[in-house]
Amino acid sequence: MSRVQVASLLPSIEQIEAELATRSLREFVQQAWPEVEPQTTYVHGWHLDAICDHLEAVTRGEIRNLVLNMPPRHMKSLLAAVFWPAWVWLRNPGMRWLFSSYALSLSIRDSLRMRRLIESQWFRRRWGSLFRLTSDQHAKVRYENDKNGCRLATSVESAATGEGGDIIVCDDAHNVVEAESALKRSATITWWDQSMSNRLNDPRTGCRVIVGHR
């Protein structure tokens, strides 16, 4: 076998990077960062390792209920609501997600970020054969892929009748300004207990993640 033939059998740098990103959420975040935040330099920190480790444990079903609490601007929303669901679809494109926030605009913001990421040339070149978004369900608040995976964005106190998810993520259930309001806290807890906490497609295997400030 000639050197040219041997070289053609070796994986490319791009293929190696894609495999590393598929195996590790941490690696996926670092590689995908320029596609989501092209104007901001990625700065790694130990807290990102901790978040990635815990979200990977949720993915494997080792953690069923997870709360992520930390100050603002620590990348918790980007990790839990943009990078993580996109990464999970590499491993299980049939996963169905239900996301919520105190404001629908915030849920839609991260929904769009994820959609732009998985439609980017960078993503499609590496994993385009795994799934594609369907054309008949391609809205800001809800989109699906051709492997029956789905992402739905909703908000606190909004109706979620008939909708569910394999993983439910609530990112910032409270507006910081209103967090000290006993009335608002009570309304949010009631919404979670009566509307969201029971929206898992399978209560035996489904997972819940709550993200918020300390």
Side-chain angles (χ1 to χ4, degrees):
M1 185 177 292
S2 69
R3 291 183 178 179
V4 174
Q5 289 174 316
V6 171
S8 67
L9 297 176
L10 296 176
S12 66
I13 296 298
E14 186 174 281
Q15 289 172 324
I16 294 173
E17 290 178 345
E19 179 62 26
L20 291 173
T22 302
R23 295 184 183 186
S24 166
L25 175 57
R26 182 184 300 105
E27 183 68 28
F28 178 80
V29 170
Q30 293 182 21
Q31 291 188 33
W33 179 263
E35 304 300 319
V36 178
E37 290 287 344
Q39 304 301 320
T40 306
T41 301
Y42 176 82
V43 179
H44 194 70
W46 67 265
H47 70 290
L48 300 180
D49 290 331
I51 296 175
C52 287
D53 288 344
H54 282 74
L55 292 178
E56 286 187 3
V58 174
T59 305
R60 294 189 298 267
E62 298 170 2
I63 296 177
R64 297 279 311 285
N65 296 284
L66 176 67
V67 177
L68 299 174
N69 286 143
M70 61 185 62
R73 313 304 297 174
H74 278 66
M75 226 177 94
K76 58 187 183 296
S77 293
L78 275 176
L79 256 174
V82 180
F83 292 114
W84 179 45
W87 178 77
V88 170
W89 271 4
L90 302 183
R91 309 159 68 87
N92 182 6
M95 185 69 72
R96 303 180 72 82
W97 300 83
L98 179 56
F99 284 85
S100 61
S101 183
Y102 73 85
L104 183 59
S105 60
L106 296 181
S107 289
I108 291 176
R109 177 200 64 186
D110 291 334
S111 179
L112 288 174
R113 283 175 170 174
M114 176 182 163
R115 191 175 75 180
R116 289 168 184 154
L117 172 59
I118 62 180
E119 289 186 320
S120 68
Q121 292 185 3
W122 174 85
F123 189 99
R124 302 311 308 172
R125 193 167 58 245
R126 289 161 174 76
W127 301 287
S129 63
L130 297 180
F131 65 87
R132 289 191 176 277
L133 296 183
T134 59
S135 58
D136 59 342
Q137 192 59 254
H138 201 304
K140 292 180 180 180
V141 296
R142 181 190 180 109
Y143 47 84
E144 299 180 359
N145 64 45
D146 58 359
K147 299 300 186 292
N148 205 38
C150 173
R151 175 178 176 136
L152 174 65
T154 185
S155 62
V156 173
E157 299 181 14
S158 67
T161 304
E163 299 289 356
D166 302 314
I167 298 180
I168 293 175
V169 181
C170 183
D171 182 15
D172 283 337
H174 292 287
N175 184 327
V176 175
V177 177
E178 300 174 338
E180 297 303 319
S181 167
L183 183 62
K184 284 291 183 179
R185 290 200 306 272
S186 177
T188 301
I189 292 172
T190 298
W191 165 81
W192 176 260
D193 289 342
Q194 298 183 2
S195 180
M196 286 298 288
S197 63
N198 60 358
R199 292 296 173 185
L200 289 173
N201 290 334
D202 188 341
R204 299 169 299 177
T205 61
C207 302
R208 306 176 184 89
V209 177
I210 297 178
V211 182
H213 299 172
R214 282 190 308 197

